[in-house]
Amino acid sequence: MLSFEDVIEIIDSLQAEELHTWIEVGWVLPVRHRESYRFTEIDVARVRLISEMVHECQIEADAMPVVLGLLDQVYELRRRLNTLVRAIEAQPRDIREKIGRTVSETAGQPRNRSA
């Protein structure tokens, strides 16, 4: 885990005041450690992403919760999809083939919007 100061040092153009604000508004959720914070690799990656969106893409602060919420949804869907793929891969060959046929048959069909 990295300290608050470590994160400030390794991410270009990141200011301590910004990071404090991002923590206060809940964009980043590091572990509180005594009088400071400890950041996991995932926390650092999120800080880096937010920094790029703010400094390079110039996304406004009021839009950031929407953008971060959408990104969080995408990452959660990817995690669930990877879990599903691993579960399918663990099935016997005949089951995997049935799943493959079902996917092929339903590909391109209109989605049921009521689900």
Side-chain angles (χ1 to χ4, degrees):
M1 295 184 100
L2 296 175
S3 71
F4 185 92
E5 293 75 20
D6 293 336
V7 174
I8 296 296
E9 191 173 306
I10 64 172
I11 298 178
D12 293 337
S13 74
L14 178 62
Q15 302 297 314
E17 300 80 29
E18 285 178 310
L19 186 51
H20 277 295
T21 299
W22 299 348
I23 293 168
E24 287 173 12
V25 297
W27 296 354
V28 183
L29 303 170
V31 174
R32 184 84 168 145
H33 182 74
R34 294 190 182 114
E35 299 298 316
S36 190
Y37 296 97
R38 303 298 291 173
F39 294 79
T40 64
E41 288 182 39
I42 292 173
D43 294 327
V44 174
R46 188 173 179 93
V47 170
R48 184 173 278 117
L49 176 65
I50 294 169
S51 181
E52 289 173 5
M53 288 191 293
V54 167
H55 297 280
E56 295 174 24
C57 300
Q58 300 193 356
I59 295 177
E60 298 292 330
D62 58 341
M64 194 63 72
V66 173
V67 172
L68 291 174
L70 291 170
L71 286 171
D72 289 343
Q73 289 178 33
V74 168
Y75 290 129
E76 177 62 17
L77 287 170
R78 287 179 65 190
R79 186 190 66 75
R80 288 183 179 192
L81 183 57
N82 286 332
T83 300
L84 180 60
V85 167
R86 285 192 305 277
I88 292 169
E89 289 172 344
Q91 299 304 308
R93 182 178 183 179
D94 63 320
I95 300 297
R96 291 192 317 265
E97 289 173 353
K98 286 180 184 178
I99 292 169
R101 282 192 301 274
T102 301
V103 169
S104 295
E105 292 168 2
T106 59
Q109 292 183 4
R111 293 184 335 175
N112 181 353
R113 295 265 183 207
S114 62

